[in-house]
Amino acid sequence: MYILFFLSGAFISGLIIEWTAKYKPHNSYIIPLSIEIIIILFVGFSSDLISDISQMIISSALLFAMGLQNALVTRVSQSVVRTTHLTGLFTDLGIELSLLFFHIKKRGENR
C-alpha cells in the first residue's frame, strides 16, 4: 500500500506538470511543489494531533509527497538527477503512466 502512495505521488506530479506545461510552461512546477509544501506543513503541525491522526495516514502522506518530489526533480533536471533502486523505478513508472495518459488523450482527439 505504501508503494502505491509513492507511485500515485509521482503520477500526479507528472500529470500536473504535463497538463500545465501546455498552458504555462514556466509555471508547470509550482502546483506539485505547492502540494508538497502543504502536505509537509500538515504533517509538521500535526504533531500535536498525533494521537488523533493515524500514523499510517501520516506515513502515506509523506510517501505521496516523496513521489511528488522525485518526479518533480526528475522532470526539472530532464532525468539527469535520478533516484535509484525501488523509488527510481516507481518514479519512472509514475511519470511514464502520466505521459501515457496524455498520449491516449491526444490519439483520441485526432479521431
Side-chain angles (χ1 to χ4, degrees), residues 14-46:
L15 199 66
I16 291 170
I17 290 170
E18 283 298 316
W19 183 72
T20 56
K22 288 180 168 181
Y23 305 107
K24 296 182 180 181
H26 299 294
N27 296 334
S28 62
Y29 307 119
I30 292 174
I31 296 172
L33 194 58
S34 299
I35 294 170
E36 183 183 353
I37 289 169
I38 290 168
I39 291 171
I40 291 173
L41 284 174
F42 169 75
V43 170
F45 288 118
S46 69

Side-chain angles (χ1 to χ4, degrees), residues 3-111:
I3 292 172
L4 290 177
F5 277 100
F6 185 89
L7 177 65
S8 65
F11 174 75
I12 295 296
S13 183
L15 199 66
I16 291 170
I17 290 170
E18 283 298 316
W19 183 72
T20 56
K22 288 180 168 181
Y23 305 107
K24 296 182 180 181
H26 299 294
N27 296 334
S28 62
Y29 307 119
I30 292 174
I31 296 172
L33 194 58
S34 299
I35 294 170
E36 183 183 353
I37 289 169
I38 290 168
I39 291 171
I40 291 173
L41 284 174
F42 169 75
V43 170
F45 288 118
S46 69
S47 64
D48 297 334
L49 306 172
I50 201 76
S51 60
D52 297 338
I53 298 175
S54 172
Q55 290 181 357
M56 187 169 175
I57 293 172
I58 290 174
S59 58
S60 299
L62 288 174
L63 283 164
F64 184 83
M66 285 171 51
L68 281 170
Q69 176 68 26
N70 278 2
L72 182 66
V73 169
T74 301
R75 293 298 307 267
V76 168
S77 71
Q78 298 176 350
S79 297
V80 172
V81 176
R82 309 213 16 132
T83 55
T84 58
H85 306 301
L86 188 61
T87 59
L89 291 173
F90 278 92
T91 299
D92 292 343
L93 182 61
I95 291 171
E96 292 300 322
L97 285 174
S98 68
L99 291 175
L100 180 67
F101 178 81
F102 277 93
H103 289 297
I104 290 172
K105 186 176 178 183
K106 285 181 186 177
R107 197 176 298 154
E109 290 174 355
N110 291 334
R111 292 181 186 171

